[in-house]
Amino acid sequence: MEPERRAWVPPAWVAWGAVVAAFAFAAVSLLWATGSTLGLDTLGGSVERLGRGRDPTLLAANAVALVLKLLGGVLALALVQPWGRRLPQRPLLALGWLGSAVLVVYGVLQVTTLALVAAHVLVPDEPLSDRALRWRLLLWEPWFLVWGLLLAGATLRCRRLRRGV
């Protein structure tokens, strides 16, 4: 008779990584939602131009992004903190899987598109400076992908620990 195999449980740092990624990303949105121009040159294009002009629509979009990122951080905390065990499991896990899927798909699409732009396979509607292209390809867009993978790991960890696997 074979010994019983236990399912792999992602380490705690994965779950905490999702928390840090969410709140760090929220901090950036807070800067831009309050009208700061710090780092806007790393985005380039119309986003940079509208940000420097303190466009109300862009400021509002950053405020919405801030709220969503904060909620993502709270979700990640709920997956890793003891108080999260008091929440209904199905909705919590569903939100974790949904959030991670959206972040991973968005990140993959953005990174792939920017890689094709960098390889001169695609020509964007609006040109990006080399600086903005590098920053977006190496930091901003992969951040969504990494955050999504960390959130998936946190969700899997929560699920397996709750089941006692």
Side-chain angles (χ1 to χ4, degrees), residues 5-81:
R5 282 199 219 178
R6 295 184 63 81
W8 178 75
V9 176
W13 69 261
V14 170
W16 284 105
V19 172
V20 170
F23 288 130
F25 220 177
V28 173
S29 289
L30 176 63
L31 275 176
W32 292 337
T34 57
S36 174
T37 60
L38 183 68
L40 279 177
D41 61 326
T42 65
L43 296 176
S46 60
V47 174
E48 179 183 0
R49 196 170 45 262
L50 292 170
R52 292 195 184 286
R54 299 192 196 283
D55 179 72
T57 303
L58 185 64
L59 293 174
N62 274 306
V64 170
L66 168 63
V67 170
L68 291 173
K69 291 169 184 178
L70 289 172
L71 289 173
V74 171
L75 171 62
L77 276 173
L79 292 166
V80 73
Q81 284 290 294

Side-chain angles (χ1 to χ4, degrees), residues 1-6:
M1 188 175 201
E2 274 188 52
E4 186 180 327
R5 282 199 219 178
R6 295 184 63 81

Side-chain angles (χ1 to χ4, degrees), residues 74-152:
V74 171
L75 171 62
L77 276 173
L79 292 166
V80 73
Q81 284 290 294
W83 57 263
R85 291 186 205 116
R86 293 191 296 267
L87 299 174
Q89 181 178 3
R90 280 187 172 205
L92 180 65
L93 294 176
L95 285 171
W97 291 125
L98 177 64
S100 61
V102 167
L103 290 166
V104 167
V105 168
Y106 181 81
V108 166
L109 290 174
Q110 290 293 95
V111 169
T112 301
T113 301
L114 286 170
L116 292 172
V117 168
H120 305 289
V121 173
L122 290 179
V123 177
D125 292 337
E126 183 177 41
L128 286 175
S129 69
D130 288 342
R131 174 180 169 77
L133 181 61
R134 274 193 310 273
W135 274 88
R136 290 185 60 190
L137 182 59
L138 299 174
L139 176 68
W140 298 124
E141 309 312 339
W143 196 331
F144 288 101
L145 175 59
V146 170
W147 179 17
L149 293 172
L150 291 169
L151 186 59

